[in-house]
Amino acid sequence: MTVSVDIELPPKLIDVFSGPADVRWAAGGRGSAKTMSFSKMTAIRAYMWDQAGREGVVVCGREKLNSLDDSSMAEVKAAILSEPWLADHFEIGEKYIRTRSRRISYKFSGMDKKTINSIKSKSKILLLWADEAETITDASWDVAIPTLRQEDSELWVTWNPKRKSAPVERRFRFSKDPRVKGTMCNWRDNPRFPAILERQRLKWLKEDPDSYDHVWEGGYASSVKGAYFSKQITALKAEGRLGRVGIDPNLKRRLFVDIGGTGRNADAFTMWGAQFVGREVRVHYYYEQVGQAVGHHLEWMRSKGFTPENTEIYLPHDGATHDKVYDVSYESAFAAAGYSVTVVPNQGRGAAISRINAARRVFPSVWMHQGGNTSTGLEALGWYHEKWDDERDVGLGPEHDWASHGADSFGLMAIVAEDHMKGGGLIRRDSGFRRRGSGMAV
């Protein structure tokens, strides 16, 4: 028996859910009904599979999921209960959602580097819906996508855009694959946009216009609450210090590193390439990789002209620690390749703030080349911000996210640059700097 029902969706989402697809996505600002619409459609798909006698799992993922309270379970329950004909076909408990036949059930999973592997243990995933997906990393997508093994299984993705370079933007929004369907969807596309949200929207526009476009219109974030370097980056651009910056072949080249590791779940390995010219810090390159061995970094260095004869490498204090996969430290590996290596001592308690303050002091001396991938590093510096407790309205120190690794290597450069300036161009080794490698003058 065929059952016909009317489903109310924002008109812009109708095409997204029509026809075959491997990926369906919607991105946009607050009040667009994205989450409720996708929640309801997961239940409709579960109902359809159940009626066809299929067995399997609908996985609802979010990057940070410490408990079910952080998941989309509440939204899915509300969506099911909003349609009486759907509610009749589901069992809903405090910690579970499943069809009454128990052929189709919901599972809720985190998608950060600590929790993403739990998805691999789920069998017969028919649908994976990743909500609030803006911050999900490439490494997590590389784990999640291969778990969709059924011929008609699908990936659904919803998010509020923040960065054009975010993995979710590259992989889905700008995809040319005809089996990737999606749309931008904002408050004006919601035919049931409530009056209370309209009042909140107008108040936001009046009181916080800088963040309005991101929060309500789905624009990329132009400012981040608690951003450490927003004023410094604005000055860098306004004063013309971001542009064409050449490399002096007669001066030493320097690479400042924040070490990552090898393997899928490693932190990013980042480097800033610069020269010190008088009291100027001339930045030419930014490099970032995840999970690569030292040999990959060395290959990039040589391709950009960073040779053992002209380059000094600066590592943070843990540069002498052995990698967990390859039993060798970055210090010894770079020295074995012929490079002069300096390990900068730990700044002790409050090291992160020390690097931030040093970077703020040094920023007026920075001239940055507009090329060499520095735009990616500059994006990280612009995003690097304080973790904020909104309930108490207090800062909790630097947020450890995708931007922190580029910011840490930049902060290391600032600490060395300050030492260089204070010492008339020489590293003060009695302060704890340890060098290894060639006898090349600092």
Side-chain angles (χ1 to χ4, degrees), residues 4-75:
S4 178
V5 295
D6 291 327
I7 305 299
E8 185 175 8
L9 290 173
K12 289 191 73 173
L13 292 179
I14 292 174
D15 286 344
V16 175
F17 291 111
S18 301
D22 294 326
V23 179
R24 305 181 195 272
W25 64 265
R30 187 172 298 178
S32 63
K34 297 188 303 296
T35 300
M36 177 57 75
S37 298
F38 273 69
S39 295
K40 183 180 294 187
M41 290 304 295
T42 67
I44 291 170
R45 286 299 182 90
Y47 166 80
M48 293 169 64
W49 283 317
D50 182 68
Q51 294 298 295
R54 297 281 297 277
E55 294 184 356
V57 175
V58 175
V59 177
C60 300
R62 283 179 176 169
E63 188 195 28
K64 303 294 184 184
L65 199 155
N66 297 315
S67 70
L68 287 177
D69 290 339
D70 301 323
S71 75
S72 52
M73 174 180 268
E75 286 87 350

Side-chain angles (χ1 to χ4, degrees), residues 80-278:
I80 292 172
L81 295 175
S82 72
E83 300 283 356
W85 67 272
L86 267 180
D88 290 342
H89 290 277
F90 283 86
E91 294 179 348
I92 297 178
E94 182 180 356
K95 296 183 178 180
Y96 64 85
I97 302 172
R98 61 196 178 212
T99 57
R100 292 193 181 277
S101 69
R102 301 197 177 186
R103 285 190 289 263
I104 308 294
S105 61
Y106 278 79
K107 301 295 181 182
F108 300 88
S109 177
M111 295 185 69
D112 64 8
K113 68 179 183 179
K114 296 180 180 178
T115 57
I116 186 63
N117 285 319
S118 66
I119 287 182
K120 293 195 294 186
S121 66
K122 311 272 191 306
S123 62
K124 293 185 179 179
I125 298 177
L126 300 174
L127 173 62
L128 169 58
W129 171 34
D131 187 30
E132 298 180 2
E134 205 283 336
T135 56
I136 296 175
T137 65
D138 277 319
S140 290
W141 288 121
D142 288 344
V143 173
I145 291 173
T147 65
L148 300 170
R149 301 185 184 97
Q150 307 297 309
E151 176 56 33
D152 60 346
S153 59
E154 295 184 6
L155 171 65
W156 295 2
V157 191
T158 49
W159 74 97
N160 187 346
K162 288 184 180 179
R163 301 177 292 127
K164 188 176 182 179
S165 62
V168 73
E169 301 278 326
R170 299 194 318 270
R171 285 174 176 261
F172 309 122
R173 182 174 175 180
F174 300 121
S175 173
K176 303 297 184 183
D177 187 340
R179 292 188 65 87
V180 175
K181 292 186 174 183
T183 188
M184 292 296 295
C185 192
N186 289 307
W187 63 271
R188 59 175 57 82
D189 302 310
N190 179 3
R192 290 185 174 272
F193 186 67
I196 186 172
L197 284 186
E198 173 64 2
R199 294 194 296 272
Q200 292 176 12
R201 184 185 72 83
L202 294 174
K203 182 179 180 183
W204 203 293
L205 178 61
K206 180 180 179 181
E207 296 181 357
D208 193 359
D210 289 342
S211 66
Y212 171 82
D213 187 61
H214 164 61
V215 173
W216 292 95
E217 302 289 354
Y220 296 121
S222 59
S223 61
V224 184
K225 185 175 183 179
Y228 289 115
F229 304 128
S230 57
K231 292 181 180 178
Q232 288 77 15
I233 293 173
T234 298
L236 177 79
K237 296 175 180 178
E239 295 170 7
R241 290 183 284 112
L242 177 64
R244 184 175 177 82
V245 179
I247 297 172
D248 189 330
N250 298 313
L251 293 179
K252 179 195 299 185
R253 302 179 69 176
R254 304 170 192 260
L255 286 168
F256 301 90
V257 177
D258 185 61
I259 66 172
T262 48
R264 185 184 298 275
N265 294 325
D267 285 337
F269 177 101
T270 65
M271 290 190 289
W272 288 92
Q275 289 182 309
F276 296 166
V277 183

Side-chain angles (χ1 to χ4, degrees), residues 312-428:
E312 174 102 10
I313 299 173
Y314 297 84
L315 299 175
H317 69 97
D318 51 351
T321 303
H322 282 211
D323 181 82
K324 293 179 180 178
V325 176
Y326 298 95
D327 190 22
V328 63
S329 71
Y330 284 98
E331 179 188 19
S332 60
F334 287 134
Y339 287 90
S340 179
V341 182
T342 295
V343 176
V344 180
N346 189 353
Q347 286 79 54
R349 187 174 182 180
I353 297 301
S354 296
R355 289 191 297 269
I356 290 166
N357 289 334
R360 284 172 165 170
R361 291 190 296 266
V362 167
F363 238 116
S365 299
V366 170
W367 292 72
M368 188 173 293
H369 182 59
Q370 203 162 16
N373 202 41
T374 59
S375 61
T376 300
L378 199 59
E379 183 183 12
L381 294 177
W383 187 264
Y384 189 48
H385 62 280
E386 187 155 26
K387 188 175 183 180
W388 206 261
D389 185 330
D390 289 321
E391 291 186 4
R392 295 186 295 155
D393 198 32
V394 295
L396 303 175
E399 178 77 75
H400 183 78
D401 59 12
W402 67 272
S404 58
H405 310 293
D408 283 346
S409 52
F410 189 89
L412 185 75
M413 179 175 68
I415 285 174
V416 175
E418 280 199 318
D419 188 88
H420 176 88
M421 294 173 186
K422 291 175 183 176
L426 295 176
I427 294 294
R428 293 177 292 129

